[in-house]
Amino acid sequence: MSLLDPEIIEARLRNIFLNQPEQIGFDYLAELIRHSPFSTEAHRELIAAVRVFVRLQGDVFFQSRCRSFYNCEADDADIGTFTRVFFTDYPPSRVGLPHTDAQNAQTMISQPLGVQKAMARSHLRGHQEALLYTPWPPVIEILCANPSLQERDVVFMASRRPTQNALLEPILMSEWSSRPEIRFALAANPALNVSHALRCVPTLPRPKIEILASQTELHCMIGLHAQKYLAYLDRF
């Protein structure tokens, strides 16, 4: 595997945040945020960090370290603010149960979890379209790894309303999150944990950040964070 392989990048980041002193991990992330607008490599690694933080939220040891990370200082006040956001854990601003009127989907999502997992590996278009409505996060995880899935399918799942954070996290943790349209759809979905959306902001193209900064349906923290990041970019 290449050193640029996402799995290697994520493994390195996990090691930094789990095993290195908190200030070292904080400084490393701060440098990624600082250089992300100007460096393809830093930008790629920052996107990987967004995925890693979703996975680390269930790690008890990491959660116990988060306050220490949060209390670290940066040499730039704005960079420090953007970095601390990564160590927060704010829930979604809205919670809803997914629903669908599509008969095919209703038939498919009534199947047991094991059947749906098998169907998620299928290359049959009908199966994939039906499973876009699945209520099972493991099915979405398998579906996102299916090479025949199309970007429009993932955008549909990422932007669907109502939905639940648990159904959006597998998308954010997948390789699909390397695409800006997917990250934007997730960040703009009020069912996603606010902290996940905040982490996505500095990884998005400026026009997408401007949209987030003006959307009133999202939690106010997201709009304010987007505005602050836009002001930071204006310094250069």
Side-chain angles (χ1 to χ4, degrees), residues 22-196:
E22 286 87 345
Q23 187 66 56
I24 290 178
F26 186 92
D27 290 343
Y28 190 88
L29 182 57
E31 287 304 297
L32 291 182
I33 295 172
R34 190 193 310 273
H35 296 292
S36 178
F38 319 106
S39 165
T40 301
E41 183 176 347
H43 185 68
R44 182 190 300 114
E45 196 161 352
L46 186 61
I47 295 171
V50 172
R51 292 195 292 261
V52 166
F53 272 82
V54 182
R55 301 182 192 281
L56 286 178
Q57 68 181 356
D59 190 295
V60 176
F61 175 68
F62 175 75
Q63 289 301 319
S64 69
R65 304 183 74 195
C66 275
R67 180 168 294 277
S68 296
F69 277 114
Y70 195 88
N71 290 331
C72 292
E73 296 291 336
D75 58 2
D76 181 296
D78 287 338
I79 291 294
T81 297
F82 304 145
T83 305
R84 288 187 196 94
V85 157
F86 274 73
F87 299 97
T88 62
D89 187 18
Y90 301 119
S93 57
R94 294 185 189 175
V95 178
L97 294 175
H99 60 77
T100 175
D101 294 325
Q103 184 174 358
N104 186 31
Q106 286 180 334
T107 301
M108 178 62 69
I109 64 177
S110 67
Q111 298 295 321
L113 175 59
V115 173
Q116 290 193 42
K117 284 183 173 181
M119 293 298 184
R121 297 183 176 91
S122 168
H123 297 293
L124 295 176
R125 187 64 191 157
H127 288 166
Q128 292 177 357
E129 290 178 342
L131 289 174
L132 300 181
Y133 298 93
T134 182
W136 296 102
V139 175
I140 295 179
E141 181 179 356
I142 296 172
L143 199 58
C144 285
N146 189 322
S148 63
L149 196 68
Q150 300 176 17
E151 181 173 1
R152 62 185 177 132
D153 300 328
V154 187
V155 170
F156 173 82
M157 291 191 293
S159 58
R160 185 178 168 212
R161 295 167 176 77
T163 189
Q164 296 177 323
N165 176 71
L167 299 175
L168 299 174
E169 286 184 344
I171 304 172
L172 186 55
M173 288 187 288
S174 75
E175 273 300 296
W176 285 105
S177 65
S178 64
R179 305 194 182 193
E181 287 294 337
I182 305 297
R183 293 196 307 281
F184 172 72
L186 289 166
N189 194 324
L192 185 72
N193 274 4
V194 172
S195 289
H196 296 337

Side-chain angles (χ1 to χ4, degrees), residues 1-20:
M1 290 189 292
S2 165
L3 290 177
L4 297 179
D5 187 284
E7 292 185 8
I8 293 180
I9 295 174
E10 291 183 29
R12 183 171 68 247
L13 289 169
R14 283 178 61 89
N15 177 63
I16 290 173
F17 297 129
L18 287 175
N19 301 317
Q20 297 295 320

